[in-house]
Amino acid sequence: MSAHFCIRLGGVFLFIAGMAQAAGPLQRVPATTLAMPASPPTYNYTSVNALGSLTFFNPVGMATPPGETNRLFIIEKNGIVSVITNLVTPTRTVFLEITNRVLSAPANVGGDGEQGLLGLAFHPGYATNGFFYVFYTGITTTTAGAGTRHDILSRFTTDAVNPSLAVSTSEQILIRQNDEAVNHNGGDLHFGPDGYLYVSLGDEGGGNDQFNNSQTITKDFFSGMLRIDVDKRPSNLNPQPHASVMAPTNYAIPIDNPFVHTSLGGTWNGVFNGSAIANLNLVRNEFWAVGLRNPWRFSFDPETGWLYCGDVGQGVREEIDIIVKGGNYGWAYREGIIAGPKTAPGGFTSINPILDYDHSEGVSITGGVVYRGDKITELHGAYIFADYGGSGRIWATRYNGISATPRQLLHSNTGISAFGIDPSNQDVLYADIITGMIRRLVRNAATSPILPATLAATGAFTNLATLTPHAGIVPYDLNVPFWSDNAHKTRWFSVTNINETIGFAANGNWLFPTSSVWIKHFELELTNGVPASRKRVETRFLVRTPTGVYGASYRWGNSLTDATLVPDEGLDETFVMDDGGGLVRTQAWHYPSRTECLICHTPQGGHALGFNTPQLNRDFDYNGATTNQIEALSLAGYFSTAVTNRHLLRRLASATNDIVSREYRVRSYLDANCVQCHQPGGTSQALWDARLFTPGAQNGIVNGALLNNLGDPNNRVVVPGSIGSSLLLRRIANLGAGHMPPLATSVINTQAVQLLSAWITNDLAGYQSFADWQSVYFGSTNAANAQPLADPDDDSAVNYLEYLTTTGPTNAAAAWGIAIAQSNGTAAVVIPQVANRGFEVQATTNLFNSNSWSALNLPANAPFFPSSNRTAVVEETIQPGPPRFYRARVFEP
């Protein structure tokens, strides 16, 4: 938000001769030597045995405890969970054996093959509590309906001495419900990023929803996704009474589940499919989503938190759904994107799948996983899934939050019953229920094109000893570099075809043609303070393609004359660093995989991080001619339209620039280091926005909510005055799990930690939001005199302006205002600028046209947020013409 204050200056008549724009110091020429392919290499795929010759009885799933990297647990349908205790040299041990409790049949015995031990999930705190959960079908002898089939959700505990052995007698049953058919049991289990347990269940079986479960939330736990709290957090609810709930204290209902009525503290109004539920006591509050037929395998994307689910169709369509809170996925009124076997009532709405296919391509979908590994760069972020039936096809698709890309066929293997992830390297694994093997998806050799094997072969430099670039490859620099463990960096870019241009944006991402290439060179100073000790480490390339970008890195090793291509999966190296005073340490350096390049160089971040207006808005020495970089690029013709308002553009401020407010320096750091993920539509699950152009009142940083408060309700993104409760600072200040930025960092950015700490403890100690300000002066935020555009003291300054300028809204004598003076052919607008507030002087000759105001493109009018109050003056040469009016826009960072 911003506010304005306006004054008038009478017109005077002067004549100022126009001046032609001079040519800039940068001359654009084509880059003809670059040998980087326009697109990354393409591949085809196959699979290999992941666990040697080990086989399992009808494997239907796999899981790994949180944080572990060398154990894989295999779910066998007959009631055995096997653990592989060493993935390098696979060794199989029986972890849990409950075959005498599990009702099962081999996978090839018709619908009976859908029974058995079906799901396994380890508690987020498994390392300390040893809890894990299973889902199975079994014959019960202890309740009404003894001797009948039941779906059972239970908790078990791991032996306190032997981590490869479960205590089979430790079973605590949470849910046990009668099941009248052998098929459509679902049974997959996963803990979500919120720490709650998600459970998938089919429609109880048979055909065409014969038990009428698909659109019912007042009966049993079928045809949907459950979400329950196994930790029984104090704010949550006990389950509603139900014969299937073994004890109301075994788990709780999250208060924010979609079918928790307002009378219980939730937000649901009691209406389902257009009709009010008559008896709210019958509602199964456990439901998170409904309308699923036979959800066979679901998973969470660890980066976005999106819940993908494969739902097996009846006789026509197979589908993939993104499961959301309260979502209704249509069955049995819908099957995929077509009508289902039952007629929908009035008021019914449902969510279409992100992707579906008909039975000419497959007959039984197996939900998969999102690949987040490093080896297969081109599949990073893709959802890998398959069809169990005759086709056995394995496909990849990409979902962007709105739609999914067409399926890409990767490989074929009939009998794929589940997907999983190798915890040691994030490879995609799948279970072959027919052979009993666990298979690994792998890439074959590249078909085309091939990346240059050496830096010399890239054609970027005429002289590698001096790193002199070829013509058309232009050096540039940034205002606030991305943190790279104290590395010294040099940068170049090229738009190789001079007929192509960059789409300039003042406040957003630039748009780059496909011939764009960026090069970044890294050196480490091995002895602190001794420039001669610098060692060449790495030179990276980023190439714009028709669909995105790809990256490649070159390692210098001990050479000064050439560097070699780093493998797709990246690599690690260590350097001995002398910090002085006898302090010697080892520093790890990570050469990123090509997948990791894509993790940071996101579409949301503009692909080319740092190549944008607030980063490049600075001077640069072009062979002795120092010019603003954006002006130089504009004059050289790199932009599709000339930049004519250069003085009005923002620029990032370094952490040490203490004439700039600390908040703006913090915002600059976050924009440089976090924006690629932390923004709406970004890959981060966090709720705050790192973009410089999102005002502080809207970015969710100060007192911002957390998806995971680490068990402390006092934690927020940033808490004024509290370092301990500010998780943003904690993430930056501590290495290990959760450190930010998350990639290629082994050294703490102490400068950033000091900056954020000072901001939190000093500047924010007396922080007052506009809502706080309203309450202080008017008792509430909704009082008539408290509204942002109200002016209760009639001093021509609205409340929001009074808030920004720290003046009293009930004292007309305390109004903030600007002044003007005229002398020597200039109009000087005098601004009493408040610390940490920006201003912009605007002018017009027509007060009756609100669209006629324009900001003065002058150096003194550049956006600036001072660290202390000051008097600013913006002088404009008076032009002949009608009277001219001025106003100042005031705004927060």
Side-chain angles (χ1 to χ4, degrees), residues 44-46 379 384 394-396 408-412 441:
N44 50 43
Y45 308 89
T46 187
L379 293 183
I384 313 297
I394 301 174
W395 290 291
Q408 174 191 357
L409 180 62
L410 304 179
H411 183 49
S412 295
L441 186 68

Side-chain angles (χ1 to χ4, degrees), residues 738-754:
H739 175 71
M740 292 291 167
L743 297 176
T745 295
S746 63
V747 178
I748 296 294
N749 185 346
T750 55
Q751 198 174 77
V753 172
Q754 292 167 3

Side-chain angles (χ1 to χ4, degrees), residues 60-61 75 118-120 135 185-190 197-201 225 295-299 367:
V60 291
I75 308 165
L118 302 176
L120 166 68
F135 184 103
N185 299 311
D188 205 3
L189 305 177
H190 294 277
L197 180 62
Y198 290 71
V199 186
S200 63
L201 293 128
M225 187 76 67
W296 187 251
R297 309 297 90 172
F298 72 91
S299 65

Side-chain angles (χ1 to χ4, degrees), residues 687-708:
L687 303 174
W688 61 277
D689 188 348
R691 292 176 298 175
L692 182 72
F693 300 103
T694 303
Q698 302 170 25
N699 61 24
I701 294 176
V702 178
N703 290 319
L706 299 165
L707 284 177
N708 181 0

Side-chain angles (χ1 to χ4, degrees), residues 464-501:
L464 284 173
T466 60
L467 290 179
T468 303
H470 275 287
I473 300 173
V474 181
Y476 70 96
D477 207 353
L478 306 181
N479 280 315
V480 179
F482 185 86
W483 173 248
S484 300
D485 289 357
N486 284 318
H488 297 268
K489 291 178 276 191
T490 313
R491 303 169 181 83
W492 302 265
F493 85 96
S494 177
V495 178
T496 57
N497 184 348
I498 61 173
N499 295 321
E500 295 185 314
T501 54

Side-chain angles (χ1 to χ4, degrees), residues 236-262:
N236 291 331
L237 308 172
N238 284 333
Q240 303 260 49
H242 189 280
S244 297
V245 178
M246 297 311 298
T249 57
N250 281 355
Y251 67 90
I253 306 295
I255 193 69
D256 61 339
N257 267 14
F259 301 112
V260 176
H261 192 263
T262 54

